[in-house]
Amino acid sequence: MQLLDGKKVSEEIKNEIAAEVAQMKQRGEKVPHLAAVLVGSNGASLTYVGSKVKTCEKIGFDSTLVSLPEETTEEELLAKINELNTNDAIDGFIVQLPLPKHIDEQKVLNAVDPDKDVDGFHPENFGRMALELESFIPATPFGILQLLERNKIETKGKNVVVIGRSNIVGKPMSLLMSRKAYPGNATVTLTHSATQNIEEITREADIVITALGVPEFLKAEMIKEGAVIVDVGITRVADETNPKGYVIKGDVAFNEVAEKASWITPVPGGVGPMTIAMLMKNTLIARERRAKKNN
């Protein structure tokens, strides 16, 4: 068994981006600028946004954090998004999810300029990705592609099973793994909560990508010998023996599955670090596309 080490690969990617940004600075060019919009004070969201801002500093990006109170109205948020859409200094921005209940998430995501949508959540980017046209790929699926590619894992003709059908991971992952490219060219089965006899399907898989959010759902008896396992799940599970009062678990029963798998992502330290690295990569791409347009 070998680890698909997201920490290591994400550091490589961030170092490559930092080197490009250093060259931009030397040439006197504008460096990429990422903005993040945070509504309310959800603990996990604060942590995610904080790590994005820190990463921007580390690799030489400019960053802006737009913090709005929990009671911000949908209209106020849409007005702020319009400001960011029309601000030439900002190359890309994200709206941190989840949003407060009184705000329509889809309406907000639809309001983001597709050219600045570095999360890849706008329907235009999703549609372009499905048609294999130039688009922004959502950061987590983009990170998984990089993990497979940089570890030279063969995907052509392979049987890939994706568990979970979210618009953020499951659906885009199923499209990307079936595209005519590497990583891709696979035969993909998309499974979810209504799938019957899921273990019969996963046992046939050469590669399993699970994004279900159910701790230790995937057991050793559900995979075949030598399968590649990518675990996107990350759930806090109460644990009184831990000083924090909880432990982080993935969708995979790691210790037992690792004995059968050829490659496996750890949780934490697998897909998580890749997501932030690819958000930075998308911001760099947005900056380069904007520079081309303006020339």
Side-chain angles (χ1 to χ4, degrees):
M1 183 276 294
Q2 289 180 275
L3 273 189
L4 282 168
D5 188 341
K7 267 190 184 162
K8 178 172 163 282
V9 176
S10 68
E11 284 307 313
E12 282 170 17
I13 291 167
K14 286 187 282 190
N15 289 338
E16 288 163 13
I17 296 170
E20 279 196 58
V21 173
Q23 287 180 340
M24 283 178 177
K25 282 181 176 166
Q26 274 181 343
R27 295 192 296 264
E29 295 170 8
K30 174 191 175 302
V31 300
H33 188 153
L34 173 68
V37 181
L38 180 63
V39 184
S41 53
N42 175 302
S45 294
L46 284 167
T47 306
Y48 289 141
V49 170
S51 59
K52 286 163 187 171
V53 170
K54 268 190 207 142
T55 305
C56 282
E57 278 171 29
K58 192 177 166 190
I59 62 177
F61 282 15
D62 288 335
S63 70
T64 299
L65 175 56
V66 179
S67 264
L68 300 171
E70 185 86 21
E71 59 276 10
T72 300
T73 66
E74 194 177 275
E75 289 70 26
E76 286 167 336
L77 179 55
L78 291 170
K80 181 55 71 178
I81 286 168
N82 190 48
E83 255 177 60
L84 295 170
N85 282 341
T86 54
N87 182 342
D88 268 347
I90 288 168
D91 298 298
F93 68 95
I94 62 156
V95 180
Q96 185 64 45
L97 303 178
L99 290 169
K101 296 266 189 292
H102 63 276
I103 295 174
D104 181 339
E105 273 183 10
Q106 198 55 56
K107 193 187 272 189
V108 167
L109 296 177
N110 289 359
V112 176
D113 177 350
D115 291 339
K116 293 190 177 188
D117 168 40
V118 287
D119 256 339
F121 293 164
H122 192 283
E124 186 176 311
N125 276 317
F126 200 97
R128 290 180 69 83
M129 178 193 68
L131 295 168
E132 300 184 31
L133 301 170
E134 185 182 83
S135 69
F136 289 112
I137 297 173
T140 301
F142 197 2
I144 294 167
L145 293 181
Q146 285 292 307
L147 269 181
L148 296 172
E149 186 176 335
R150 289 177 184 238
N151 286 287
K152 299 181 172 59
I153 290 169
E154 186 53 73
T155 60
K156 186 178 182 180
K158 298 296 181 185
N159 187 354
V160 174
V161 172
V162 179
I163 307 174
R165 55 181 162 185
S166 74
N167 293 338
I168 293 170
V169 182
K171 280 182 194 162
M173 209 64 244
S174 66
L175 289 165
L176 291 162
M177 291 306 289
S178 60
R179 67 186 180 155
K180 292 178 194 154
Y182 175 70
N185 264 319
T187 301
V188 183
T189 306
L190 179 62
T191 64
H192 44 76
S193 55
T195 302
Q196 296 185 351
N197 305 324
I198 195 166
E199 56 286 335
E200 289 175 22
I201 299 166
T202 54
R203 272 198 294 267
E204 294 295 313
D206 301 304
I207 301 170
V208 178
I209 300 166
T210 173
L212 201 59
V214 178
E216 301 191 328
F217 171 82
L218 194 76
K219 304 280 196 275
E221 65 268 17
M222 294 173 71
I223 70 155
K224 71 178 182 184
E225 200 72 42
V228 176
I229 309 295
V230 178
D231 188 352
V232 186
I234 185 156
T235 309
R236 285 184 180 191
V237 177
D239 183 348
E240 288 170 14
T241 64
N242 190 293
K244 289 180 180 171
Y246 66 86
V247 288
I248 298 289
K249 299 264 190 191
D251 285 357
V252 176
F254 183 88
N255 291 338
E256 59 176 86
V257 170
E259 290 185 13
K260 280 178 89 174
S262 57
W263 291 86
I264 189 168
T265 55
V267 174
V271 174
M274 294 300 298
T275 299
I276 289 185
M278 301 325 292
L279 177 66
M280 301 300 144
K281 182 71 175 171
N282 273 345
T283 306
L284 178 64
I285 292 167
R287 154 78 186 81
E288 286 167 347
R289 285 184 192 161
R290 282 164 60 73
K292 257 188 210 167
K293 259 189 185 177
N294 295 336
N295 278 349

